[in-house]
Amino acid sequence: MSSAVPLTLLGGYLGAGKTTLVNDLLEQSAQRIAVLVNDFGAVNIDAKLIRTARSDSVELANGCLCCSLRDSVAETLQPLAGRGDFDRVVVEVSVVGNPAKLAPWQGFPGFAPGGLVVCADAGAIGRQLRDGFIGDTVLDQLRAAELVLLSKTDLLPEDRAKQAAQLVSQAAPQAAVLASPHGADRIAGLERWLGALPDQARARELEPEPTPEHGGNHPFASLALRGTRPVDRERLERALAGCPQVLQRAKGFLRLQDSPQRRTLVQYSGSGLELEDCGAWSGAQEPQLVLIAAGERAEDVLAQIAAALPELQASPADGTS
């Protein structure tokens, strides 16, 4: 019997629910999982689960691991291949990357193909596929998928959720579609699908690692806003809601003027804006909001949002999920 560890690729566009899925896997899966992400700091792991933490990884009490994919894929996979204490490795692909281009790494020595999963936001997928700037990127991701996890279906009427599932099936006829809200049911459904994959590795020729797809045909711009001064809630809502066809994603923690001692999670995606109270601030935490826009007006829109929030200072973004 082969001792190769299944390597699962996880893709999906901005706001599709990849970070939520990573959290659910780490917290709820019965397997010992190593998750490789662009920035593990964006994964809000419950402190009660963390056994050890370093600058680039956290190890959980249930045997799982989450670490930052800062080096090449080969350099990151090599030490994992030798550990032998994981049931599965999950690699989160860049938000604008085509996960199919990382598929050859599922044949890296010590690993076996473990499925290619793409998350899609049920409330936004139709608009995204029609968008002239990001439609091809989203479609390429869906066409690469072996399984599409349709997220946020619980936020939609039943008929709209069914329409979203049909749209995904038309765009990705080769893929299975799992439409389920986040949580235990979705993890159970995902693990049933993963467990049904062929046991034997599908042979793929190992190719050079692809270069990141953050330029050229993808007119994306990003910006990080930082600052400790409290922000006006209504002005923040107006600024983020003002350019829905250009602003693709906003995520971070801020102080708001009506609750300056509280840590407010700000999330904007195709499904709209969410503001959530996440408790009191700790001394080491810094307010930050990362913005990503797409299209010819991307940089202008980010500058417009920054100007509308004078309490914060702009600097180049270091990524978000």
Side-chain angles (χ1 to χ4, degrees):
M1 178 181 294
S2 171
S3 59
V5 177
L7 192 153
T8 301
L9 299 175
L10 174 62
Y13 195 66
L14 296 160
K18 296 190 301 301
T19 299
T20 299
L21 180 63
V22 166
N23 266 303
D24 288 346
L25 275 171
L26 290 172
E27 294 179 14
Q28 300 173 21
S29 176
Q31 293 188 319
R32 296 164 302 169
I33 294 177
V35 177
L36 312 181
V37 297
N38 290 324
D39 176 14
F40 88 88
V43 181
N44 188 24
I45 298 172
D46 189 333
K48 297 189 296 293
L49 300 174
I50 297 175
R51 185 169 65 186
T52 61
R54 300 197 307 270
S55 62
D56 61 349
S57 67
V58 292
E59 193 159 352
L60 307 186
N62 60 6
C64 295
L65 174 75
C66 180
C67 58
S68 178
L69 189 58
R70 292 180 179 174
D71 300 318
S72 73
V73 176
E75 290 173 345
T76 306
L77 290 180
Q78 186 74 48
L80 290 177
R83 286 186 55 156
D85 55 353
F86 294 112
D87 301 310
R88 181 175 302 276
V89 171
V90 178
V91 179
E92 181 184 338
V93 183
S94 162
V95 292
V96 295
N98 184 345
K101 293 190 176 183
L102 280 184
W105 291 102
Q106 293 181 311
F108 192 87
F111 295 94
L116 199 161
V117 180
V118 170
C119 295
D121 182 337
I125 189 64
R127 175 181 60 78
Q128 290 173 344
L129 287 169
R130 294 190 301 270
D131 190 286
F133 288 100
I134 68 171
D136 288 345
T137 297
V138 175
L139 182 59
D140 285 346
Q141 291 174 344
L142 292 176
R143 286 175 172 170
E146 294 172 326
L147 171 69
V148 176
L149 285 177
L150 198 58
S151 63
K152 307 181 185 180
T153 53
D154 54 329
L155 304 179
L156 298 176
E158 185 177 353
D159 59 338
R160 282 197 60 199
K162 287 182 178 179
Q163 289 173 2
Q166 291 171 354
L167 188 60
V168 167
S169 294
Q170 292 169 0
Q174 81 293 340
V177 179
L178 174 61
S180 175
H182 64 268
D185 290 343
R186 185 167 69 155
I187 295 302
L190 172 61
E191 294 195 323
R192 281 195 298 271
W193 181 84
L194 291 171
L197 290 173
D199 194 34
Q200 71 276 12
R202 288 160 289 179
R204 287 190 178 104
E205 181 182 357
L206 190 64
E207 298 176 356
E209 183 178 351
T211 55
E213 297 187 15
H214 285 293
N217 296 327
H218 301 280
F220 289 89
S222 60
L223 191 68
L225 300 177
R226 297 180 173 90
T228 57
R229 293 170 55 198
V231 175
D232 180 81
R233 182 185 296 265
E234 292 185 3
R235 189 150 34 81
L236 173 67
E237 292 173 346
R238 288 196 302 270
L240 296 183
C243 301
Q245 301 304 316
V246 180
L247 182 64
Q248 301 295 310
R249 184 74 161 129
K251 186 174 182 180
F253 293 94
L254 294 178
R255 296 182 188 274
L256 299 184
Q257 289 180 359
D258 55 11
S259 55
Q261 304 307 316
R262 308 294 290 178
R263 190 167 171 254
T264 299
L265 172 62
V266 181
Q267 294 199 87
Y268 175 89
S269 65
S271 296
L273 175 64
E274 298 178 22
L275 301 176
E276 179 184 350
D277 185 337
C278 290
W281 287 90
S282 72
Q285 296 167 328
E286 178 188 9
Q288 173 179 285
L289 181 65
V290 176
L291 309 170
I292 298 180
E296 294 177 351
R297 297 182 53 237
E299 293 187 359
D300 291 340
V301 165
L302 295 184
Q304 174 183 319
I305 295 173
L309 304 172
E311 301 90 348
L312 306 176
Q313 308 223 320
S315 62
D318 50 13
T320 189
S321 56

